[in-house]
Amino acid sequence: MNKVDYQWLDAGQAQQALPELCDVLDGCVAQGASIGFVERNAQAMHNFWQDVVLSLACGDKQLLVAKREGRIVGTVMLVLAMPANGVHRAEVIKLLVHPDARRGGIARQLMLQAEARAGEQGRSLLVLDTRSGDVAEPLYLSLGWQVAGQIPGYARSTAGVMDATTIMYKVIEHNGSMPAPGA
C-alpha cells in the first residue's frame, strides 16, 4: 500500500487544490454518499469548495486532507465558527475518501487527526451527522462517538430517497486553553 500523508490546508493551498478536492467530492457523490449533493454537478462542487476556501481564510473552518502519491484522496473539516455560548464545540463535516482509496484506514486517520486538532483549538465537544445506517456510522462508534438521536427523512439521497440522519457527539480532551470569545 502506498504511503498516505496528512496535511492541514490554508486558504491558498485549498485554492490551488480545487480540482483535486472536486475530484474527491465527485467520486463520493458518484458512489451515493450522503454529503449534501444529490447529483454530480461540477459547477456546484466547485462553488462548494470555493466557499470552503473563503471559510478557511476567515478561520471559520479548518481542512485536513489525505494525500497518496501527492494527490488528495480524502478530506475532513472542522467547523469552528460557533456562537458565543458554543465556542467549546466544533462540528466535523465532509469526511470524504475517494472510492479508489477506501479500505485503507484513511477515514479513521482523518477523524483521529481532526479530533486532536479540535482539542488543540480548545474544543471539548464534537458533533456530526451521518446518514443512518451508512458505512461511516460503525467507524464513528469505534472511535468512541455516541449517538444522540435520529431524525427521519432528513436528507434526500442521490437515489431520491428521504434518508434518516444520526446525530452523534464526542467529548474530547483539550489542551486547557479556551478559544477567545467569538472565535
Side-chain angles (χ1 to χ4, degrees), residues 55 58-61 78-83 86-87 89-91 123 182-183:
S55 294
C58 69
D60 287 350
K61 293 179 181 166
L78 286 174
V79 178
L80 300 174
M82 295 291 157
V87 296
R89 68 178 185 257
E91 183 177 4
R123 308 306 167 109

Side-chain angles (χ1 to χ4, degrees), residues 51-180:
D51 287 346
V52 168
V53 168
L54 295 174
S55 294
L56 295 173
C58 69
D60 287 350
K61 293 179 181 166
Q62 294 188 358
L63 171 64
L64 176 64
V65 298
K67 292 183 175 184
R68 189 170 63 191
E69 296 178 3
R71 185 147 184 88
I72 295 173
V73 296
T75 71
V76 69
M77 280 188 276
L78 286 174
V79 178
L80 300 174
M82 295 291 157
N85 69 348
V87 296
H88 63 287
R89 68 178 185 257
E91 183 177 4
V92 175
I93 63 170
K94 298 297 185 270
L95 175 64
L96 309 173
V97 178
H98 192 281
D100 295 341
R102 292 185 180 158
R103 309 302 308 161
I106 293 172
R108 176 175 294 279
Q109 191 58 230
L110 286 166
M111 285 298 294
L112 290 170
Q113 289 195 36
E115 291 174 12
R117 180 70 161 234
E120 292 166 5
Q121 298 292 313
R123 308 306 167 109
S124 59
L125 177 65
L126 297 178
V127 296
L128 63 77
D129 71 87
T130 187
R131 178 174 45 201
S132 298
D134 194 76
V135 296
E137 203 167 349
L139 168 66
Y140 301 136
L141 292 170
S142 76
L143 291 170
W145 286 73
Q146 303 293 311
V147 173
Q150 285 187 341
I151 303 171
Y154 187 78
R156 185 176 315 282
S157 73
T158 57
V161 175
M162 296 301 288
D163 287 327
T165 195
T166 300
I167 308 297
M168 303 181 89
Y169 70 94
K170 184 172 184 180
V171 177
I172 61 168
E173 298 285 326
H174 64 82
N175 65 5
S177 67
M178 291 303 291

